[in-house]
Amino acid sequence: MSECCVNRSAGQWDSLLSAETLGLVLSSDQRIARSVGELPQLLEATGARRVLVVCDRDALLASGRQSAFQAALKAVAAEFFESFTPNPRSEDAANAARMAAAHQADCIVAFGGGSCLDVAKIAALAGSRPDLAETLARGERLDDADPLPLIAIPTTSGTGSEATHFAAIYVEGRKVSVAHPQLRPQAIVLDVALHQAMPGNLAAVTGLDALAQAMESLWAVSSNERSIQYAQAAGKLIAKHLEPSVLQGTVEHRLGMMIGSHLAGQAINISRTTAAHALSYQFTQLFGLSHGHAVALTLGHVATANAGVCEATCCDHRGPDHVRSHVEDAAALLSVKPEGLPGYLRDLLGRLGLASTLREAGVGSAALSELASQVDPVRLGNNPRRLTNADLESLLVNACG
Ligand SMILES: NC(=O)c1ccc[n+]([C@@H]2O[C@H](COP(=O)([O-])OP(=O)(O)OC[C@H]3O[C@@H](n4cnc5c(N)ncnc54)[C@H](O)[C@@H]3O)[C@@H](O)[C@H]2O)c1
C-alpha cells in the first residue's frame, strides 16, 4: 500500500467519526497513532533503540504492508519473534521474553491480533526477568516483574486488547487471565489499512467479540460511569458497522469497527467481562470455536438471564433495577428488548455465515451439564446475576437451539 493511501486512511478518522467519538478516543492516557507510518514517532517518544517485534506474520502478509512496517523500524535494531499460534501458550510468551532479553530489547512492539498482543504483553511484563515469564502468565510473582514499554498495533477489530491491562494465555492447557497495570500498552497504532486486510470470516468473529465486550461491559458488576460511557460509544459504532464491515468491507465500516472495538477494550479495561466470556473459554478449548464466535453463541441468553435478576440473585450493590436498565440499554443498541436478543443474535450469526447455535457449532447437548459445572467462578463473579449450575445448564440448553 502506498504512503499516499496510508495518509488518506489516517485522514478518514476526521471525516468518518463524530467529534464526540474522536474526543473520547483521543482522551486516552495512551499515545495513539493513526498509521504504521507514525510508528517512528512512537518509538522515539518511548526512547526505544533495540526492539523485539512480536509479529503475526500472516496478518503482516495479508496487509501487504511489509515494506512500510520495515521502513518504520529502520531507526531501531529490530528482532522478530513469530513462533506462536492463536490461543497462545505461556511457553510462547517465555520464548518471546527470552528473545527480548538476548536482544537486549528496550521496547516491545506487537503487530497482530489479540493472540499476538497477549504473547507480547507477557513478554513485555517479564522484561529483564524472562525466567519469570511462565510464572507471570499464571498470575504469580507479579511484583517481581521488570516491565519493558509496549507498543501495540492491533490487526483485528477485535479484542480491544491494545486498551486493556489483561493478557489471556494458556497455562498447562487452561486459559488464565492475568491482570497488571503494566500490561496496558503505552502506545498504540490504530491503522485502518491493517483492519481492511481481514477476510470476512475473521471480521465477523472478531467483531462479535467486540459487540459482546461492549454489551457485557454495560451490565458488568465492576462497571462505572466512565466504562459505561466507553461501552455505549463502542456499542453504537459496532451495532452500525459490524454487519456491513463483514458483508461489504468498505473503509468506512472497517474504521467504525476498529474504533468500536478499541472503545469496547477501553470499557472492559475498567469493567471486565461477564458470563458470556466466562462460558466461552471451554467452547474454544474443547470444541475449537474461535473466541468471538464462542462468546456470541451465549450472549443473548446471558442477557435474558440477567434481565430476570431480582434482589435475591443480584450481585451488584446498585441493585436489580440498575442491572435491568443496563441490560435494556445493551439490547437497545441492537433495537430490541432483552428477550428478543437470542433470536436477533441467532439471525445475525446466520447472516454473517456462522453456525448460529451451540448444536450447529458442534457442541452437543451431552456436554452441557459438564460445561456448566466447569465455568471459572472468578469470571462469573462479575456477572450481575448470580448464576447457579442449574441456571447455567438451562442457559446452555437454550443456546443449543
Ligand atoms: N488481553 C485482552 O484484553 C483480550 C481481550 C479479548 C480477547 N483476548 C484474546 O485474544 C485472542 C483472540 O484474538 P483475535 O480474535 O484478535 O484473533 P487472533 O489474534 O487469535 O488471530 C486469529 C487469526 O487471524 C489472523 N489475523 C490476524 N489479523 C489478521 C489480518 N488483519 N488479516 C488476516 N489475518 C489476520 C491470525 O494470523 C490468526 O490466524 C483470544 O486468545 C482471546 O482470549 C484478549
Short mmCIF file of all heavy atoms in Angstrom, two decimals, residues 39-74:
data_model
loop_
_atom_site.label_atom_id
_atom_site.label_comp_id
_atom_site.label_asym_id
_atom_site.label_seq_id
_atom_site.Cartn_x
_atom_site.Cartn_y
_atom_site.Cartn_z
N LEU A 39 4.76 5.11 13.38
CA LEU A 39 5.43 4.31 14.41
C LEU A 39 6.78 4.92 14.86
O LEU A 39 7.09 4.92 16.05
CB LEU A 39 5.62 2.87 13.91
CG LEU A 39 6.32 1.89 14.85
CD1 LEU A 39 5.59 1.75 16.19
CD2 LEU A 39 6.47 0.51 14.18
N PRO A 40 7.59 5.48 13.92
CA PRO A 40 8.87 6.05 14.36
C PRO A 40 8.71 7.10 15.47
O PRO A 40 9.51 7.14 16.41
CB PRO A 40 9.45 6.68 13.08
CG PRO A 40 8.84 5.87 11.98
CD PRO A 40 7.46 5.51 12.45
N GLN A 41 7.67 7.93 15.39
CA GLN A 41 7.46 8.94 16.45
C GLN A 41 7.15 8.27 17.79
O GLN A 41 7.60 8.72 18.83
CB GLN A 41 6.32 9.90 16.09
CG GLN A 41 6.64 10.87 14.95
CD GLN A 41 6.20 10.34 13.60
OE1 GLN A 41 6.63 9.27 13.20
NE2 GLN A 41 5.36 11.09 12.90
N LEU A 42 6.37 7.18 17.74
CA LEU A 42 6.06 6.47 19.00
C LEU A 42 7.31 5.84 19.58
O LEU A 42 7.54 5.87 20.79
CB LEU A 42 4.99 5.39 18.76
CG LEU A 42 3.62 5.84 18.27
CD1 LEU A 42 2.67 4.66 18.19
CD2 LEU A 42 3.04 6.91 19.17
N LEU A 43 8.13 5.26 18.70
CA LEU A 43 9.38 4.63 19.17
C LEU A 43 10.29 5.69 19.78
O LEU A 43 10.90 5.48 20.83
CB LEU A 43 10.08 3.92 18.01
CG LEU A 43 9.38 2.64 17.51
CD1 LEU A 43 9.95 2.21 16.16
CD2 LEU A 43 9.53 1.51 18.53
N GLU A 44 10.36 6.84 19.12
CA GLU A 44 11.23 7.91 19.62
C GLU A 44 10.74 8.40 20.99
O GLU A 44 11.53 8.57 21.92
CB GLU A 44 11.25 9.06 18.62
CG GLU A 44 12.44 9.97 18.83
CD GLU A 44 12.43 11.14 17.86
OE1 GLU A 44 11.88 11.01 16.75
OE2 GLU A 44 12.98 12.19 18.25
N ALA A 45 9.42 8.58 21.11
CA ALA A 45 8.86 9.06 22.39
C ALA A 45 9.12 8.06 23.51
O ALA A 45 9.23 8.43 24.68
CB ALA A 45 7.36 9.29 22.24
N THR A 46 9.21 6.76 23.15
CA THR A 46 9.47 5.72 24.14
C THR A 46 10.97 5.61 24.45
O THR A 46 11.35 4.94 25.40
CB THR A 46 8.95 4.35 23.59
OG1 THR A 46 7.64 4.55 23.08
CG2 THR A 46 8.89 3.28 24.64
N GLY A 47 11.79 6.24 23.63
CA GLY A 47 13.24 6.15 23.81
C GLY A 47 13.78 4.81 23.34
O GLY A 47 14.85 4.37 23.78
N ALA A 48 13.04 4.14 22.44
CA ALA A 48 13.44 2.80 22.01
C ALA A 48 14.65 2.84 21.07
O ALA A 48 14.72 3.68 20.17
CB ALA A 48 12.27 2.13 21.30
N ARG A 49 15.59 1.93 21.32
CA ARG A 49 16.75 1.76 20.43
C ARG A 49 16.81 0.33 19.89
O ARG A 49 17.17 0.08 18.77
CB ARG A 49 18.06 2.03 21.21
CG ARG A 49 18.22 3.47 21.68
CD ARG A 49 18.72 4.38 20.54
NE ARG A 49 18.77 5.77 20.95
CZ ARG A 49 17.74 6.61 20.88
NH1 ARG A 49 16.59 6.19 20.40
NH2 ARG A 49 17.85 7.87 21.27
N ARG A 50 16.44 -0.62 20.78
CA ARG A 50 16.52 -2.05 20.42
C ARG A 50 15.14 -2.66 20.69
O ARG A 50 14.67 -2.66 21.83
CB ARG A 50 17.60 -2.77 21.24
CG ARG A 50 18.97 -2.13 21.08
CD ARG A 50 20.03 -2.92 21.82
NE ARG A 50 20.19 -4.26 21.29
CZ ARG A 50 20.85 -4.56 20.18
NH1 ARG A 50 21.45 -3.60 19.49
NH2 ARG A 50 20.95 -5.80 19.76
N VAL A 51 14.52 -3.17 19.63
CA VAL A 51 13.10 -3.54 19.73
C VAL A 51 12.90 -5.02 19.41
O VAL A 51 13.45 -5.53 18.43
CB VAL A 51 12.26 -2.68 18.75
CG1 VAL A 51 10.82 -3.14 18.70
CG2 VAL A 51 12.34 -1.21 19.14
N LEU A 52 12.12 -5.71 20.24
CA LEU A 52 11.62 -7.03 19.85
C LEU A 52 10.23 -6.83 19.25
O LEU A 52 9.36 -6.25 19.90
CB LEU A 52 11.53 -7.99 21.03
CG LEU A 52 11.05 -9.38 20.56
CD1 LEU A 52 12.20 -10.17 19.95
CD2 LEU A 52 10.39 -10.17 21.67
N VAL A 53 10.07 -7.30 18.01
CA VAL A 53 8.76 -7.21 17.36
C VAL A 53 8.08 -8.58 17.46
O VAL A 53 8.56 -9.56 16.89
CB VAL A 53 8.89 -6.83 15.86
CG1 VAL A 53 7.51 -6.66 15.24
CG2 VAL A 53 9.71 -5.55 15.71
N VAL A 54 7.02 -8.66 18.25
CA VAL A 54 6.22 -9.89 18.31
C VAL A 54 5.23 -9.75 17.16
O VAL A 54 4.35 -8.89 17.19
CB VAL A 54 5.52 -10.04 19.67
CG1 VAL A 54 4.67 -11.31 19.68
CG2 VAL A 54 6.56 -10.09 20.79
N CYS A 55 5.44 -10.58 16.13
CA CYS A 55 4.75 -10.31 14.85
C CYS A 55 3.91 -11.48 14.40
O CYS A 55 4.38 -12.62 14.34
CB CYS A 55 5.83 -10.00 13.80
SG CYS A 55 5.14 -9.59 12.20
N ASP A 56 2.67 -11.20 14.08
CA ASP A 56 1.76 -12.17 13.46
C ASP A 56 2.04 -12.10 11.96
O ASP A 56 1.56 -11.20 11.26
CB ASP A 56 0.32 -11.76 13.79
CG ASP A 56 -0.71 -12.73 13.24
OD1 ASP A 56 -0.44 -13.35 12.19
OD2 ASP A 56 -1.77 -12.84 13.87
N ARG A 57 2.88 -13.04 11.48
CA ARG A 57 3.35 -12.98 10.09
C ARG A 57 2.17 -13.03 9.10
O ARG A 57 2.17 -12.34 8.09
CB ARG A 57 4.32 -14.15 9.87
CG ARG A 57 4.90 -14.33 8.48
CD ARG A 57 5.70 -13.18 7.94
NE ARG A 57 6.77 -12.68 8.78
CZ ARG A 57 7.59 -11.68 8.42
NH1 ARG A 57 7.45 -11.08 7.25
NH2 ARG A 57 8.52 -11.25 9.25
N ASP A 58 1.15 -13.84 9.40
CA ASP A 58 0.01 -13.94 8.48
C ASP A 58 -0.71 -12.60 8.35
O ASP A 58 -1.14 -12.20 7.27
CB ASP A 58 -0.99 -15.01 8.95
CG ASP A 58 -0.43 -16.41 8.80
OD1 ASP A 58 0.60 -16.56 8.10
OD2 ASP A 58 -1.00 -17.34 9.40
N ALA A 59 -0.86 -11.91 9.49
CA ALA A 59 -1.53 -10.61 9.46
C ALA A 59 -0.69 -9.61 8.67
O ALA A 59 -1.22 -8.81 7.89
CB ALA A 59 -1.76 -10.10 10.88
N LEU A 60 0.63 -9.66 8.86
CA LEU A 60 1.51 -8.72 8.14
C LEU A 60 1.45 -9.00 6.64
O LEU A 60 1.31 -8.07 5.82
CB LEU A 60 2.95 -8.83 8.67
CG LEU A 60 3.96 -7.86 8.06
CD1 LEU A 60 3.54 -6.40 8.26
CD2 LEU A 60 5.36 -8.07 8.66
N LEU A 61 1.51 -10.28 6.26
CA LEU A 61 1.46 -10.62 4.83
C LEU A 61 0.11 -10.19 4.23
O LEU A 61 0.06 -9.62 3.15
CB LEU A 61 1.66 -12.13 4.63
CG LEU A 61 3.07 -12.65 4.91
CD1 LEU A 61 3.13 -14.16 4.76
CD2 LEU A 61 4.09 -11.99 3.98
N ALA A 62 -0.98 -10.46 4.98
CA ALA A 62 -2.31 -10.11 4.46
C ALA A 62 -2.43 -8.61 4.24
O ALA A 62 -3.11 -8.15 3.32
CB ALA A 62 -3.39 -10.59 5.44
N SER A 63 -1.76 -7.84 5.09
CA SER A 63 -1.89 -6.38 5.00
C SER A 63 -1.14 -5.80 3.81
O SER A 63 -1.42 -4.69 3.38
CB SER A 63 -1.38 -5.72 6.28
OG SER A 63 0.03 -5.75 6.32
N GLY A 64 -0.15 -6.54 3.29
CA GLY A 64 0.67 -6.02 2.21
C GLY A 64 1.52 -4.84 2.65
O GLY A 64 1.98 -4.06 1.83
N ARG A 65 1.75 -4.71 3.94
CA ARG A 65 2.46 -3.53 4.47
C ARG A 65 3.86 -3.87 4.96
O ARG A 65 4.41 -3.14 5.80
CB ARG A 65 1.65 -2.92 5.61
CG ARG A 65 0.26 -2.46 5.23
CD ARG A 65 0.27 -1.20 4.39
NE ARG A 65 0.95 -0.11 5.09
CZ ARG A 65 0.41 0.61 6.05
NH1 ARG A 65 -0.82 0.37 6.43
NH2 ARG A 65 1.09 1.58 6.63
N GLN A 66 4.45 -4.99 4.47
CA GLN A 66 5.75 -5.40 4.98
C GLN A 66 6.78 -4.30 4.84
O GLN A 66 7.52 -4.00 5.78
CB GLN A 66 6.27 -6.67 4.27
CG GLN A 66 5.40 -7.89 4.42
CD GLN A 66 4.44 -8.05 3.26
OE1 GLN A 66 3.69 -7.12 2.92
NE2 GLN A 66 4.44 -9.21 2.65
N SER A 67 6.84 -3.67 3.64
CA SER A 67 7.93 -2.69 3.46
C SER A 67 7.66 -1.43 4.27
O SER A 67 8.60 -0.85 4.84
CB SER A 67 8.18 -2.38 1.98
OG SER A 67 6.97 -2.16 1.34
N ALA A 68 6.38 -1.03 4.41
CA ALA A 68 6.08 0.16 5.24
C ALA A 68 6.46 -0.12 6.69
O ALA A 68 6.99 0.75 7.40
CB ALA A 68 4.61 0.50 5.13
N PHE A 69 6.19 -1.36 7.15
CA PHE A 69 6.50 -1.71 8.53
C PHE A 69 8.02 -1.75 8.75
O PHE A 69 8.53 -1.20 9.73
CB PHE A 69 5.84 -3.06 8.86
CG PHE A 69 5.86 -3.42 10.33
CD1 PHE A 69 5.56 -2.48 11.31
CD2 PHE A 69 6.17 -4.70 10.74
CE1 PHE A 69 5.57 -2.82 12.67
CE2 PHE A 69 6.17 -5.05 12.08
CZ PHE A 69 5.88 -4.10 13.04
N GLN A 70 8.73 -2.36 7.80
CA GLN A 70 10.20 -2.40 7.90
C GLN A 70 10.76 -0.98 7.91
O GLN A 70 11.64 -0.66 8.71
CB GLN A 70 10.81 -3.18 6.72
CG GLN A 70 10.60 -4.69 6.78
CD GLN A 70 11.45 -5.38 7.85
OE1 GLN A 70 12.25 -4.74 8.53
NE2 GLN A 70 11.23 -6.68 8.04
N ALA A 71 10.21 -0.12 7.04
CA ALA A 71 10.70 1.26 6.97
C ALA A 71 10.46 1.99 8.29
O ALA A 71 11.30 2.78 8.75
CB ALA A 71 10.01 2.00 5.82
N ALA A 72 9.34 1.69 8.93
CA ALA A 72 9.01 2.36 10.19
C ALA A 72 9.94 1.93 11.32
O ALA A 72 10.04 2.59 12.35
CB ALA A 72 7.56 2.07 10.57
N LEU A 73 10.62 0.78 11.11
CA LEU A 73 11.52 0.26 12.16
C LEU A 73 12.99 0.57 11.87
O LEU A 73 13.88 0.12 12.59
CB LEU A 73 11.34 -1.27 12.25
CG LEU A 73 10.00 -1.77 12.81
CD1 LEU A 73 9.82 -3.26 12.49
CD2 LEU A 73 9.93 -1.54 14.32
N LYS A 74 13.25 1.35 10.78
CA LYS A 74 14.65 1.44 10.33
C LYS A 74 15.58 2.18 11.30
O LYS A 74 16.78 1.94 11.30
CB LYS A 74 14.74 1.99 8.91
CG LYS A 74 14.54 3.47 8.73
CD LYS A 74 14.85 3.81 7.27
CE LYS A 74 14.79 5.30 6.99
NZ LYS A 74 13.56 5.97 7.34
#
